[in-house]
């Protein structure tokens, strides 16, 4: 009976995948100083989220993502977090926010005395998806930061703004 109830709840859940392109600004902070220079670089990424089966205008789930900024001043961010979204009854706008943690890595002084700086980070994200069909959303805008602290010295950080496409593997019912 418990397995049947669990499978019925899982059937109402939704898994979605997304791809984004945008601008990443990787930089560093020292334990005694404010953040140093940030270097903007084009970037791309992707991820997936799982919304728990909740019968409400609020969706709650988990989100995992990877962001990559190629080039001399780029870096990589990998994280997971709690995602909370809002599903308005009348319009197609779907605002959301995410709070989580992960790892940020980038290179300090590329070309001169390169040093890879990798550390854990807290990530905060806010965004807006626009429903196009039951299976596809346009990620109109997403803004976020991932910043860490290191008691031993430098910590790598990133700020980003991007846009993309979201695909829902199981179409949701129109609200």
């Amino acid at each position: 009976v418990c397995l049947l109830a669990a499978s019925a709840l899982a059937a109402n859940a939704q898994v979605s995948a997304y791809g984004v392109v945008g601008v990443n600004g990787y930089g560093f902070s020292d334990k005694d100083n404010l953040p140093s220079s940030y270097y903007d670089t084009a970037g791309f990424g992707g991820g997936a989220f799982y919304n728990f089966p909740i019968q409400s205008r609020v969706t709650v789930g988990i989100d995992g993502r990877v962001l990559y900024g190629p080039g001399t001043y780029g870096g990589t961010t990998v994280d997971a977090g709690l995602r909370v979204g809002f599903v308005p009854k009348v319009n197609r706008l779907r605002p959301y926010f995410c709070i989580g943690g992960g790892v940020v890595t980038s290179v300090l002084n590329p070309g001169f005395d390169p040093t890879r700086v990798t550390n854990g980070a807290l990530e905060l994200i806010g965004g807006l998806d626009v429903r196009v069909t039951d299976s596809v959303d346009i990620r109109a805008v997403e803004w976020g930061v991932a910043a860490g602290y290191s008691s031993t010295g430098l910590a790598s950080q990133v700020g980003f703004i991007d846009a993309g496409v979201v695909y829902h593997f199981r179409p949701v019912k129109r609200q």
Side-chain angles (χ1 to χ4, degrees), residues 129-155:
D129 291 346
V130 179
R131 179 62 44 101
V132 177
T133 70
D134 285 344
S135 297
V136 177
D137 290 354
I138 297 296
R139 179 146 294 168
V141 65
E142 180 178 68
W143 175 86
V145 294
Y149 174 78
S150 174
S151 60
T152 60
L154 287 174

Side-chain angles (χ1 to χ4, degrees), residues 27-158:
F28 304 91
S29 66
D30 193 327
K31 65 179 181 173
D32 299 323
N33 297 317
L34 294 174
S36 65
S37 299
Y38 282 82
Y39 302 99
D40 291 335
T41 182
F44 57 91
F49 61 89
Y50 170 84
N51 283 333
F52 298 114
I54 299 173
Q55 300 299 321
S56 171
R57 295 279 169 219
V58 176
T59 61
V60 178
I62 52 174
D63 186 315
R65 65 180 55 225
V66 175
L67 295 175
Y68 177 65
T72 306
Y73 293 104
T76 305
T77 306
V78 178
D79 66 14
L82 176 68
R83 183 182 194 277
V84 177
F86 306 98
V87 184
K89 191 171 189 164
V90 203
N91 64 41
R92 297 179 173 271
L93 303 179
R94 310 287 195 250
Y96 65 92
F97 69 90
C98 185
I99 182 169
V103 177
V104 177
T105 183
S106 56
V107 178
L108 178 65
N109 297 327
F112 302 106
D113 182 19
T115 303
R116 178 159 298 281
V117 179
T118 303
N119 53 270
L122 169 69
E123 183 165 66
L124 303 171
I125 300 169
L128 178 67
D129 291 346
V130 179
R131 179 62 44 101
V132 177
T133 70
D134 285 344
S135 297
V136 177
D137 290 354
I138 297 296
R139 179 146 294 168
V141 65
E142 180 178 68
W143 175 86
V145 294
Y149 174 78
S150 174
S151 60
T152 60
L154 287 174
S156 189
Q157 304 177 30
V158 65

